[in-house]
Every structure is written in structure tokens, then in C-alpha cells.
């Protein structure tokens, strides 16, 4: 073994290809991941509020799964919102529940702007959630509806104000996409770091394109749109045979150039109950992969390319070291390139984890990033061929 600045031409080409992979990786990171981080940081600092008289009345639709305790907590936080104009709260419960009815009745005694309806029992071959949301939208008194679920925790009394801020009387905004984060401290099960990374990576994928003005999905726990837009699209008519899709298939149908705003301010973000629980996390991911198969316009390639670029860079670096042996100069250069790539991984993804209120990870980030494409492939296969509630007749 020896060191020589004269590198074999084949090894040199391999090193150049390796460096090119890392350069392409950095370009995607800055165009997508860092863009989300910057958007998140600017959401509060560079977005001035508007006069109170310019805010539109809102109808908040809460979809309940029957948990009266969670519903009461959520409703109290909504009713306590600091909102400068009128708003109403419509609770849509999945089936009739005496506990839910009692909870709403108790709150209605002091808040006459809260209402309750429910999806009828015995509904078959139809998504009960989509039916419930449709009933809520049709019952809404105001032109803009803000949707959330009892899985969400609203931590700010300015949540409604922030979600409604982009809407104007004639500004062309029809949809506002909010964000729902998870509390990483609630997950102590095996794989908690991997789940935290995958949650952030999956969300960066749609947040990045939404920030660039080309959204293709949102989150069912925090989204707002105009009633007129919902009715013009005939609601969820094109996906009524699917249990889910109300926050991705539907959103992809109603987005138009310039009609969607992304809201990532601190006050607008809601937190999910048990959002990172292993079973719930797995079900949510598989459900998302399945419904995305019905979306015609979505980023299929660029975001997934990052992991493959890293794998290619490592393979090219190893090949350069092997071809250049016994000259150790190609091995050293290859090692430097890979170290730069790993540092880039840690720097970029750590900032994204912090921006989206996730777990504070460091040295495990490169491994999770490199193996992310394999987990996506496995998830897509399971979502297609695994068992679970996909279609309404299941």
C-alpha cells in the first residue's frame, strides 16, 4: 500500500461519479428539505397579521370516533379560541353515542354555537367518515370550514385565527393546509427513532411541494377549505368506495394554481394523540401509501431519489477504493466524500426534525436516511397486498 497523487483513470471516474451523487443529494436537500425548514421558520417571523375585520366567519367541523373524554378536551380548546369574528362548531360523531351527546349538551348550555350530528348506523359500501364530513359541510352556516378530529390536541388559542388568516373575500385562496405533529416522548417502544425519522421524512415530502405551490395532499387533522369548493367537486364522489382519501385524493382534486396556502406557524400546528404509537403509525403509513396510488399528480421520484443517491455514492466510493488499490489515495478521497455526505445528512435532517417538533436525533440520521427507500418499498407492497380496511365493502 502507498499514497500517490496519480490516481488510476477508472478510479478517478468513479470518484467523480460519487461526488456528483453527493452534489445531486445536496441540491435536492436544499430544494426540498431545507425549503420546509425555512418556510417553518418564516411562518411567524415574516407573516404579518391582518385587521380583525378582514377575518371571515368559520365553521369548525370536528369528526369524533366516540371518545367523549377526548372530545370534551378538544371542544373546550376550540370554544376558547381567540377569534375576532363569529364561528360555529359542528361535531360529527361516528354513530350515536350517549356520552358524546351528553358532552355536547353540557357545553352547549354555555356555548350556543356548538351543534351535534352523527352518521347513521348500518351504513354500508360507503365511508362513514366521508359521509360524516359531507353532512357537516352541508350543515355549515359559513363559507369556510375548518376540519379536525378528536385525535388532535389544539395547544394554542390562536389556532383558528392562523388557519383562517390566508382566506380573504376575493384573494383566490380556497384551501389552507395545516400540519399535525406528534409528541416523540409518548413513544418508548422499539424503533422509536426510526418512526420519528419516517414521520418527518413522509411529511417533508408533501410539505416541500406544498410550499413550492404544488400541493397534492394535506392532513385530515388540520385542514380548511371553502364550502363552495367542496360542493363544486361533488365532495368525495370519486373516492366513495375507499375508507380513506379525504385528505389526499380529495385535496389533489381541488387544488389549482394559486388557490392553496400552506400554514406552518407555531400556533396553527396541532398535536396528535398517540400519533407515534407503533401500531397506529404503521396503520397510518400503510393507509397513506394505498390512497396515494389513486392520486394522479404527486412527486413520485425526486424525494425518493435521495436514498438511492446515497446508496450509489457508497457503492461508487467502495469501487473507487477497490480499483485504486494498493494506492490509498482513492480510498482517502472516497472516505472524505462519504463523510461529507453523512455530515450533510445530519445537518439537514436534524434541522427538519426540530422544525417539525420531532425527536432530537444525530448520528442515527444517516442510517435512517439511506435505508428510507427500502422501507417505502416494503410499505407500498404491504399496502397493496396486506389485509386491512381499504375499500368500503371490506
Amino acid at each position: 500500500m502507498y499514497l500517490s497523487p496519480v490516481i488510476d483513470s477508472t478510479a478517478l471516474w468513479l470518484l467523480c461519479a460519487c461526488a456528483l451523487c453527493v452534489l445531486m443529494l445536496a441540491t435536492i436537500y436544499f430544494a426540498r428539505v431545507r425549503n420546509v425548514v425555512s418556510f417553518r421558520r418564516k411562518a411567524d417571523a415574516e407573516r404579518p397579521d391582518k385587521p380583525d375585520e378582514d377575518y371571515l366567519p368559520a365553521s369548525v367541523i370536528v369528526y369524533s370516533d366516540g371518545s367523549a373524554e377526548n372530545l370534551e378536551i378538544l371542544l373546550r380548546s376550540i370554544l376558547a379560541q381567540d377569534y375576532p369574528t363569529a364561528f360555529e362548531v359542528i361535531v360529527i360523531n361516528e354513530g350515536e353515542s350517549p356520552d358524546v351527546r351528553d358532552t355536547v349538551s353540557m357545553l352547549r348550555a354555555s356555548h350556543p354555537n356548538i351543534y351535534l350530528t352523527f352518521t347513521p348506523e348500518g351504513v354500508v359500501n360507503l365511508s362513514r367518515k366521508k359521509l360524516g364530513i359531507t353532512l357537516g359541510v352541508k350543515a355549515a352556516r359559513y363559507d369556510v370550514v375548518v376540519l379536525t378530529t378528536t385525535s388532535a390536541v389544539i395547544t394554542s388559542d390562536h389556532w383558528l385565527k392562523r388557519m383562517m388568516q390566508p382566506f380573504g373575500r376575493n384573494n383566490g385562496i380556497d384551501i389552507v393546509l395545516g400540519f399535525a405533529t406528534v409528541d416523540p416522548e409518548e413513544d418508548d417502544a422499539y424503533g422509536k427513532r426510526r418512526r420519528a425519522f419516517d414521520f418527518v421524512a413522509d411529511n417533508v415530502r408533501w410539505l416541500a411541494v406544498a410550499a413550492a405551490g404544488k400541493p397534492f395532499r394535506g392532513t385530515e387533522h388540520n385542514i380548511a377549505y371553502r364550502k363552495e369548493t367542496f360542493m363544486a367537486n361533488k365532495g368525495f364522489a370519486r373516492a366513495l368506495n375507499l375508507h380513506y382519501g379525504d385528505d389526499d385524493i380529495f385535496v389533489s382534486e381541488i387544488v389549482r394554481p394559486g388557490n392553496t396556502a400552506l400554514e406552518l406557524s407555531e400556533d396553527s400546528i396541532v398535536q396528535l394523540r398517540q400519533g407515534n404509537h407503533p401500531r397506529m403509525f404503521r396503520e397510518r403509513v400503510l393507509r397513506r401509501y394505498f390512497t396515494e396510488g389513486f392520486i394522479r399528480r404527486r412527486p413520485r421520484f425526486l424525494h425518493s431519489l435521495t436514498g438511492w443517491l446515497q446508496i450509489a455514492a457508497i457503492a461508487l466510493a467502495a469501487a473507487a477504493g477497490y480499483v485504486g488499490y494498493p494506492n490509498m489515495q482513492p480510498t482517502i478521497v472516497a472516505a472524505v466524500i462519504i463523510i461529507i455526505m453523512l455530515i450533510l445528512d445530519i445537518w439537514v435532517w436534524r434541522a427538519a426534525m426540530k422544525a417539525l417538533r420531532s425527536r432530537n436525533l444525530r448520528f442515527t440520521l444517516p442510517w435512517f436516511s439511506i435505508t428510507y427507500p427500502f422501507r417505502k418499498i416494503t410499505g407500498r407492497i404491504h399496502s397493496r397486498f396486506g389485509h386491512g380496511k381499504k375499500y368500503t365493502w371490506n
Side-chain angles (χ1 to χ4, degrees):
M1 294 186 296
Y2 61 90
L3 284 174
S4 172
V6 180
I7 300 176
D8 179 82
S9 60
T10 303
L12 184 61
W13 279 110
L14 290 170
L15 289 173
C16 289
C18 178
L20 180 61
C21 287
V22 176
L23 181 61
M24 292 174 63
L25 175 70
T27 302
I28 296 174
Y29 275 168
F30 277 92
R32 292 293 176 88
V33 185
R34 291 295 299 183
N35 187 34
V36 173
V37 175
S38 298
F39 194 96
R40 171 71 186 88
R41 289 174 177 172
K42 294 176 182 178
D44 292 304
E46 299 183 6
R47 187 172 304 174
D49 207 349
K50 62 183 182 181
D52 288 352
E53 58 269 20
D54 289 343
Y55 280 89
L56 302 179
S59 296
V60 181
I61 298 177
V62 177
Y63 188 80
S64 170
D65 58 4
S67 174
E69 181 180 357
N70 291 344
L71 177 63
E72 181 179 354
I73 295 172
L74 178 65
L75 289 179
R76 289 190 182 278
S77 63
I78 294 175
L79 294 169
Q81 289 294 300
D82 181 11
Y83 195 62
T85 189
F87 71 94
E88 63 178 353
V89 182
I90 302 173
V91 178
I92 310 294
N93 193 63
E94 188 172 318
E96 290 193 78
S97 169
D99 292 338
V100 168
R101 185 174 60 249
D102 292 344
T103 297
V104 174
S105 298
M106 175 189 65
L107 293 173
R108 185 172 170 77
S110 56
H111 298 86
N113 61 329
I114 183 172
Y115 308 92
L116 171 66
T117 187
F118 56 88
T119 55
E121 299 288 350
V123 174
V124 294
N125 293 338
L126 186 66
S127 169
R128 299 185 67 176
K129 182 179 181 184
K130 291 175 184 174
L131 174 61
I133 294 175
T134 302
L135 293 173
V137 173
K138 288 184 176 181
R141 181 185 308 174
Y142 302 119
D143 294 334
V144 179
V145 294
V146 185
L147 291 89
T148 188
T149 71
T150 50
S151 296
V153 178
I154 297 175
T155 58
S156 170
D157 59 1
H158 287 87
W159 165 75
L160 184 58
K161 193 174 184 180
R162 283 303 186 186
M163 289 298 295
M164 289 293 296
Q165 193 272 341
F167 289 107
R169 301 188 187 280
N170 297 293
N171 67 349
I173 296 298
D174 296 326
I175 316 147
V176 173
L177 304 176
F179 179 65
T181 187
V182 296
D183 183 4
E185 299 303 322
E186 72 177 17
D187 185 8
D188 291 325
Y190 175 78
K192 58 186 178 183
R193 293 177 177 82
R194 170 183 53 77
R195 283 188 293 277
F197 175 85
D198 286 358
F199 175 82
V200 171
D202 288 344
N203 280 280
V204 162
R205 178 169 170 260
W206 72 268
L207 289 171
V209 292
K214 299 179 180 179
F216 71 98
R217 57 162 278 203
T219 171
E220 61 184 314
H221 309 289
N222 199 12
I223 187 171
Y225 42 78
R226 294 185 188 270
K227 181 177 179 179
E228 179 184 7
T229 303
F230 180 88
M231 302 305 293
N233 191 67
K234 297 182 180 179
F236 307 113
R238 296 177 183 86
L240 283 177
N241 62 326
L242 303 177
H243 273 293
Y244 304 102
D246 50 284
D247 58 353
D248 49 14
I249 300 175
F250 173 70
V251 168
S252 70
E253 292 173 348
I254 64 176
V255 294
R256 302 289 185 273
N259 80 333
T260 307
L262 177 64
E263 181 56 60
L264 277 183
S265 61
E266 181 73 17
D267 289 331
S268 72
I269 297 175
V270 303
Q271 185 172 296
L272 298 183
R273 300 178 188 273
Q274 298 184 332
N276 232 15
H277 186 278
R279 179 183 58 81
M280 297 180 67
F281 179 85
R282 181 173 61 254
E283 291 177 354
R284 184 173 65 243
V285 168
L286 295 181
R287 184 177 72 213
R288 180 72 66 188
Y289 284 156
F290 177 75
T291 55
E292 278 191 6
F294 296 88
I295 298 175
R296 287 170 295 189
R297 296 180 181 179
R298 69 185 190 277
R300 299 172 181 267
F301 180 66
L302 191 59
H303 188 75
S304 300
L305 182 61
T306 56
W308 298 118
L309 284 172
Q310 291 173 294
I311 294 170
I314 293 172
L316 290 167
Y322 177 79
V323 171
Y325 188 83
N327 183 4
M328 297 300 294
Q329 189 72 18
T331 302
I332 294 174
V333 174
V336 170
I337 295 174
I338 297 303
I339 290 173
I340 292 174
M341 182 187 76
L342 300 180
I343 293 174
L344 180 66
D345 261 337
I346 295 173
W347 178 59
V348 169
W349 283 114
R350 189 180 180 196
M353 303 286 285
K354 181 179 179 180
L356 298 184
R357 295 189 191 173
S358 191
R359 193 177 294 273
N360 185 19
L361 303 180
R362 291 184 179 85
F363 300 111
T364 53
L365 286 169
W367 170 250
F368 293 142
S369 177
I370 293 169
T371 56
Y372 179 67
F374 298 107
R375 293 194 296 277
K376 287 192 65 176
I377 291 175
T378 303
R380 293 193 185 281
I381 292 173
H382 287 171
S383 70
R384 286 292 177 182
F385 301 105
H387 297 288
K389 291 184 177 181
K390 301 173 184 176
Y391 295 95
T392 54
W393 55 76
N394 290 147

